[in-house]
Amino acid sequence: MPLLSWILSLDNAVLDAIQRLRCPFWDWFMPLYSRLGDHGMICIALAALLLLFPKTRQAGEAMAVALVLCLFSGNLFLKPAVARIRPYDANHFMGLLVPPLGDFSFPSGHTFSCAAAAFVLFRYHKKAGIAAWFATALMAFSRLYLYVHYPTDILGGLLLGVAAGFLACCLSNWARRSRRLNSLSARRLLIPNRPNVAPKRRRTNYGIRRTSGSRRRR
């Protein structure tokens, strides 16, 4: 189809342009940084860290849910369903800086998981979330620099990551509200209703007056 051919040519043009930026420092740094995203490793570690502290526990719970969604929807469903060949195989690229990968190209799993984690972190902790989005952008660029993904793989990973993060936040908020309502209901069942108490009386200079506004006793 003409549209698909045009998208593929644009993908290849962007990849070729990025390859002109190669230098010894980036050739060393990009594989090292990209490795942090292997199997969602950095995102899993971040979620575990957030779960340790009460103030960040809700973000950790939502991030864990988001990463599970990434695993099932991305690696186990979309990659084999789309079955897009990696660009280094399709274009016979000879300058690969990392070992060849055994799975398909769309969507970018590194970008998918990082975007989901960044969305959740930004939802609950804005300042940390901004830093996470910068880290996600660098992770996405590293996958292009290493020639293991097309730009549309990165775009798909970003959009799907945002969707997974949003859904995870909704599920986390719903679960917390349900737990809170269940806790309140259980507390009401355990605490019996207090019996009616007669209105208190207070003594004044003129005698005893009922708090309910009864007449002054002479």
Side-chain angles (χ1 to χ4, degrees):
M1 296 175 64
L3 179 60
L4 293 178
S5 299
W6 179 81
I7 292 174
L8 182 59
S9 63
L10 183 61
D11 273 344
N12 288 321
V14 173
L15 282 177
D16 293 340
I18 291 174
Q19 294 310 300
R20 299 191 189 100
L21 303 175
R22 292 184 66 161
C23 67
F25 173 76
W26 292 122
D27 286 355
W28 167 81
F29 176 77
M30 288 300 179
L32 186 66
Y33 184 77
S34 183
R35 198 171 300 130
L36 295 175
D38 289 353
H39 311 294
M41 181 171 56
I42 188 66
C43 298
I44 293 172
L46 179 59
L49 181 63
L50 294 173
L51 287 169
L52 293 177
F53 305 99
K55 289 184 178 180
T56 59
R57 191 160 295 154
Q58 186 174 7
E61 292 173 356
M63 192 175 296
V65 173
L67 294 176
V68 172
L69 293 174
C70 292
L71 172 64
F72 282 96
S73 61
N75 292 66
L76 299 182
F77 176 70
L78 283 173
K79 278 183 179 286
V82 177
R84 190 179 194 185
I85 304 299
R86 298 273 180 177
Y88 57 79
D89 282 331
N91 299 330
H92 306 290
F93 182 72
M94 302 303 296
L96 205 60
L97 299 173
V98 293
L101 303 173
D103 58 352
F104 294 106
S105 186
F106 182 89
S108 168
H110 287 62
T111 309
F112 195 172
S113 58
C114 288
F119 182 93
V120 171
L121 198 56
F122 184 80
R123 168 66 178 78
Y124 295 105
H125 306 281
K126 292 291 190 295
K127 292 182 179 179
I130 291 172
W133 274 119
F134 277 110
T136 298
L138 184 58
M139 181 64 72
F141 181 77
S142 73
R143 306 305 283 171
L144 297 174
Y145 186 92
L146 296 174
Y147 215 90
V148 294
H149 281 293
Y150 292 103
T152 45
D153 300 336
I154 301 298
L155 180 60
L158 284 172
L159 295 176
L160 290 168
V162 168
F166 176 78
L167 180 57
C169 289
C170 292
L171 291 174
S172 176
N173 293 337
W174 173 80
R176 287 217 161 209
R177 283 196 299 269
S178 298
R179 288 198 297 266
R180 192 178 298 114
L181 291 174
N182 291 335
S183 177
L184 288 174
S185 300
R187 193 176 305 169
R188 287 172 181 172
L189 290 174
L190 291 174
I191 300 176
N193 293 329
R194 297 180 61 185
N196 294 328
V197 179
K200 295 181 179 179
R201 299 180 179 183
R202 58 187 178 88
R203 186 176 296 276
T204 67
N205 294 334
Y206 304 100
I208 299 175
R209 176 179 295 177
R210 292 180 182 271
T211 57
S212 60
S214 60
R215 292 184 177 180
R216 185 182 306 168
R217 181 177 298 175
R218 295 182 180 178

